[in-house]
Amino acid sequence: MATTNRLTRRDFLHATATIAVASVIALTNGQTGLISAEPEINHRLASLRGRSGAIIIAKRYFLLYPQHAEQAVLQALIEADMAAHDGSLAALLKDDFCANRTMLADGWLVSLTEARLCALAGLPNAV
Amino acid sequence: MIIDFEQADAPGEFDGELCIIGAGAAGISIAAEFASTGHRVLLIESGGFEFEGTTQGLYDAEDSGIARQAMIRQRLRMFGGSTNHWDGRCAPLDPIDFEQRDWIPYSGWPITRAGLDPFYERAHTICDLKTTLQNSAVASLCRLPSSPADPDKMILNTWQFSPPTRFGSKFREQLVQSTNITVVLHANVINIETDQGDSHTEHLDIATLQGRKGRVRAKLFVLACGAIENPRLLLASSSKRKAGVGNSRDVVGRFFMEHLRTMFVAVPLRDSYPFRAAFSGCENSQGKFLIGSRLADKLQRNERIGNVSISSYTEGGEESATNAAFRIATSVSTGRMPENFGTDVLYVLRDLDSLIVNVRRRALMPDSETIENALVVLACEAEQVPNPNSRVSLSTHKDALGEPQARVNWQLDDIDLRTTRVAATTLAAQLAAHFDTRIHTPDWIMAPLNNWPSQFRDVAHHIGTTRMADDPAQGVVDKNCRMHAIDNLYVAGSSVFTTGGHANPTLTIVALALRLADHLKSQLPTAS
């Protein structure tokens, strides 16, 4: 899919909505971590994959954190944060915003976890 | 009594105990306080009872700083002044606005909010506001859910709407009938004549656009022409001192401030009810209110920034889903085929989300206003910190009376950008964390352009050019609104604000005018 350099409202909403659904799946499966809910999460990540919004967010993330440009590193970061929030992605996202663990992508404030999910979905294209 | 100075049979000389220059919110509030007191009061107004283009032209001014909306359209030069076109939005300044904040240069009023509270109460009556309730009391009145936002970051802020009161219409009859008040129309003050020591006002020179000239004498004078005209008149009155009246310290005209408006688009992601309730409106028997937020005092202190409010800027109108649904429902319930049925159905389908929210809201809060649109535009209005380089001076251009126009050199400081930047990130984080809502922030706020000041929108709130301060080096008037240098010349209006806060200025203008009226009464001998 062709991507532009701008993160439009539609792109942004699609990316965040996909992440939000992922958080619901993690909760309803009663799982304790993102990766342990792998089939469903992978499905959602697949939805993000190739999406222009997710790729733009991923690129911004890798500009700030080039050392995270590996799947294992991103998975470890997300898993650790998820575990600290009893497997609740929703709680993790809320905590990210409350604690200013955020970054800006074209004027949209994105939580670091959202950005990491996009980065995970965007590998390797976004690096 | 009314005298039209343009009329050939009008007297050329006037004499009173108190002379008020300018019949806007401040001038009329003071004059009305003197009705039936027995004191001889002159209220001098440049315009007439109706709008006149030639008189309005005297408000033309030159911009030499950051580009602004055309100054000639921001104010009205007629009886009632700019209250003839204000939208009536009222809120008092917050207590923190009056404090000396060590991170904001030149902050700190010589009076407190508590000291002004009794006058705010009286100002509510003048502005036809039904209640003095604010914030949590208003939220309770409107049956709003408590805000989930972090109270150390973002707190509830409410505004109340005046009808809006048109001061000219409201007080015209009272002033016309008053035996001790003389309203002089079409009289432009072109000079304030002081004594040799520039410490006492002796008289005013007045003129009409047709060339008629006259003179006004009084014991006490009040300058109430707004924050651009007040310094303009002081600076232009240079017959005794080149720097103008009461300006030996070069403070007159400095510290010109505005409220800095930035717009954000808010996008509710899921159930947007908490968000919509937090940025809404409400109308009931107690009045019409706007619900919004402001940055918490603690955050202002921690981040070393100014005060900021955030409110919904959304307008509903013809195309709103709720209004369209209402039209369809009304037609159907009366057995008629709805007019423009197809168009209205489209309006409804286009924004089902807001229709559902509004139906739910109506069910929970029957007297609440409709909130429209899935996308909500939020307006952030930030305090501009006092800046001596932001100033009103005299232009080389002359007006129709041959007097120098005002030159407005509006300047901002880095702290002003930082204030809005913190507001944007705080709002974005709070809405994302607690309201399932995201906002889009304009790029220039986070990655400032070289011309970032010109990205801000001014809102025609002119503030600070004859500010109140104990120290004559930092302000033009003292805590009683008397000019430091002149023993019988006072100033009323937003030009005396020491700092601007975020609140719309009219309520504070009126409160300060009432406070000044009380002081002036104490300065005049008891009327016979």
Side-chain angles (χ1 to χ4, degrees):
Chain A
M1 177 182 290
T3 59
T4 65
N5 289 324
R6 299 297 298 179
L7 185 57
T8 65
R9 181 170 60 89
R10 187 180 294 273
D11 291 336
F12 173 76
L13 284 178
H14 187 274
T16 50
T18 306
I19 291 163
V21 173
S23 79
V24 173
I25 290 167
L27 278 172
T28 53
N29 281 356
Q31 303 297 331
T32 55
L34 171 72
I35 307 305
S36 55
E38 213 166 281
E40 290 79 6
I41 289 294
N42 276 345
H43 175 69
R44 293 301 155 188
L45 288 177
S47 299
L48 278 175
R49 212 160 281 143
R51 290 283 176 181
S52 55
I55 289 176
I56 290 169
I57 293 171
K59 283 182 173 172
R60 297 285 189 282
Y61 183 80
F62 289 132
L63 273 178
L64 292 171
Y65 304 98
Q67 70 275 25
H68 294 175
E70 286 180 29
Q71 183 174 338
V73 174
L74 284 168
Q75 280 191 354
L77 286 168
I78 296 167
E79 273 190 328
D81 284 346
M82 287 285 285
H85 290 81
D86 296 329
S88 166
L89 185 54
L92 172 55
L93 295 183
K94 182 172 179 174
D95 213 23
D96 274 353
F97 285 113
C98 290
N100 288 331
R101 286 194 299 270
T102 56
M103 56 167 254
L104 268 170
D106 278 354
W108 298 99
L109 195 74
V110 181
S111 96
L112 279 189
T113 303
E114 286 177 321
R116 283 170 183 158
L117 285 165
C118 291
L120 199 56
L123 276 174
N125 295 341
V127 179
Chain B
M1 180 179 19
I2 303 288
I3 293 175
D4 188 339
F5 190 51
E6 268 180 352
Q7 300 301 313
D9 58 352
E13 302 231 346
F14 300 88
D15 197 358
E17 291 174 87
L18 173 65
C19 171
I20 303 161
I21 311 165
I28 287 180
S29 295
I30 295 169
E33 286 294 301
F34 275 87
S36 308
T37 59
H39 290 295
R40 288 175 299 115
V41 176
L42 298 163
L43 179 56
I44 310 292
E45 169 55 40
S46 165
F49 286 129
E50 305 298 330
F51 179 87
E52 296 155 10
T54 47
T55 302
Q56 183 68 17
L58 297 170
Y59 264 163
D60 209 357
E62 179 190 347
D63 260 330
S64 68
I66 302 163
R68 301 170 46 77
Q69 297 176 58
M71 237 96 61
I72 197 167
R73 289 201 297 268
Q74 294 194 334
R75 308 159 283 160
L76 286 175
R77 197 169 173 120
M78 58 187 281
F79 190 75
S82 298
T83 67
N84 286 296
H85 71 179
W86 74 312
D87 75 352
R89 189 163 149 176
C90 291
L93 292 171
D94 297 314
I96 192 173
D97 298 328
F98 292 84
E99 292 177 15
Q100 182 159 14
R101 293 164 281 173
D102 62 13
W103 63 96
I104 294 184
Y106 307 102
S107 62
W109 291 54
I111 61 173
T112 62
R113 162 67 192 268
L116 199 56
D117 274 345
F119 302 99
Y120 270 130
E121 216 170 307
R122 286 163 58 184
H124 274 70
T125 307
I126 300 249
C127 294
D128 299 307
L129 302 171
K130 292 180 188 165
T131 176
T132 54
L133 295 178
Q134 279 179 262
N135 302 333
S136 56
V138 170
S140 171
L141 192 67
C142 296
R143 284 175 277 167
L144 293 173
S146 60
S147 170
D150 179 349
D152 286 341
K153 302 271 175 64
M154 203 170 85
I155 58 175
L156 174 74
N157 197 80
T158 62
W159 295 258
Q160 190 178 171
F161 283 97
S162 165
T165 303
R166 307 291 179 210
F167 281 56
S169 308
K170 177 172 179 175
F171 291 100
R172 176 173 169 173
E173 202 51 35
Q174 180 188 3
L175 297 177
V176 168
Q177 297 301 329
S178 176
T179 53
N180 65 308
I181 295 174
T182 303
V183 179
V184 185
L185 299 175
H186 297 116
N188 297 284
V189 177
I190 53 170
N191 180 49
I192 300 171
E193 190 69 21
T194 56
D195 63 1
Q196 285 300 330
D198 191 32
S199 61
H200 185 81
T201 308
E202 294 192 325
H203 68 262
L204 309 175
D205 293 315
I206 55 175
T208 66
L209 280 163
Q210 287 70 37
R212 187 151 192 266
K213 295 220 158 100
R215 183 163 285 189
V216 181
R217 295 181 192 281
K219 289 189 175 71
L220 304 176
F221 295 86
V222 178
L223 193 51
C225 305
I228 294 175
E229 294 305 298
N230 283 347
R232 177 194 180 198
L233 187 50
L234 290 168
L235 295 170
S237 300
S238 55
S239 61
K240 293 282 177 6
R241 298 280 188 281
K242 198 178 170 191
V245 167
N247 192 32
S248 60
R249 293 172 184 264
D250 190 24
V251 185
V252 170
R254 292 190 182 272
F255 302 100
F256 174 75
M257 292 173 272
E258 261 281 3
H259 289 137
L260 309 176
R261 179 177 288 166
T262 322
M263 306 295 226
F264 303 104
V265 175
V267 188
L269 293 183
R270 280 181 285 187
D271 179 6
S272 57
Y273 176 65
F275 166 72
R276 288 171 183 279
F279 295 92
S280 61
C282 154
E283 188 167 6
N284 53 41
S285 60
Q286 292 295 298
K288 185 177 176 186
F289 303 94
L290 181 68
I291 316 294
S293 295
R294 75 171 177 91
L295 296 190
D297 293 357
K298 187 174 179 182
L299 185 76
Q300 292 181 47
R301 292 182 207 285
N302 289 345
E303 297 285 344
R304 304 175 70 78
I305 56 170
N307 206 346
V308 186
S309 68
I310 304 122
S311 59
S312 167
Y313 201 71
T314 305
E315 291 172 5
E318 182 84 0
E319 296 182 7
S320 84
T322 311
N323 290 348
F326 182 74
R327 284 194 294 270
I328 294 170
T330 305
S331 298
V332 169
S333 67
T334 54
R336 287 184 291 114
M337 179 64 189
E339 289 176 35
N340 305 317
F341 179 68
T343 312
D344 278 345
V345 168
L346 275 178
Y347 289 151
V348 169
L349 292 176
R350 187 170 78 174
D351 198 6
L352 272 174
D353 173 47
S354 73
L355 176 61
I356 291 164
V357 166
N358 281 317
V359 168
R360 178 179 168 186
R361 185 176 160 78
R362 284 283 171 94
L364 288 169
M365 296 179 278
D367 49 6
S368 68
E369 276 199 322
T370 301
I371 316 169
E372 300 299 344
N373 301 334
L375 291 182
V376 178
V377 178
L378 296 179
C380 167
E381 290 197 2
E383 173 179 22
Q384 176 186 351
V385 303
N387 177 353
N389 297 320
S390 180
R391 66 186 300 192
V392 173
S393 58
L394 297 179
S395 167
T396 52
H397 301 137
K398 300 285 172 79
D399 67 14
L401 293 162
E403 297 299 311
Q405 290 182 345
R407 172 187 287 147
V408 181
N409 182 359
W410 183 35
Q411 296 294 329
L412 300 179
D413 189 274
D414 285 349
I415 191 173
D416 299 319
L417 176 63
R418 196 150 50 79
T419 295
T420 293
R421 178 183 286 179
V422 171
T425 51
T426 302
L427 179 67
Q430 289 297 303
L431 293 188
H434 305 292
F435 297 88
D436 280 323
T437 295
R438 302 303 183 90
I439 65 163
H440 187 259
T441 307
D443 291 346
W444 61 268
I445 294 175
M446 296 304 162
L449 309 166
N450 286 335
N451 66 340
W452 64 262
S454 62
Q455 306 295 317
F456 281 109
R457 284 175 58 183
D458 60 299
V459 293
H461 295 166
H462 309 145
I463 297 168
T465 49
T466 61
R467 66 201 297 266
M468 188 191 292
D470 283 332
D471 179 358
Q474 292 196 5
V476 175
V477 301
D478 65 14
K479 65 182 176 185
N480 291 318
C481 296
R482 201 202 79 182
M483 286 189 67
H484 283 294
I486 318 280
D487 66 4
N488 64 341
L489 181 54
Y490 294 79
V491 186
S494 52
S495 67
V496 305
F497 290 13
T498 309
T499 53
H502 67 77
N504 303 54
T506 302
L507 190 68
T508 304
I509 288 171
V510 175
L512 285 168
L514 297 174
R515 182 175 175 275
L516 174 56
D518 283 6
H519 176 76
L520 293 169
K521 285 177 189 171
S522 74
Q523 299 302 298
L524 289 170
T526 307
S528 52

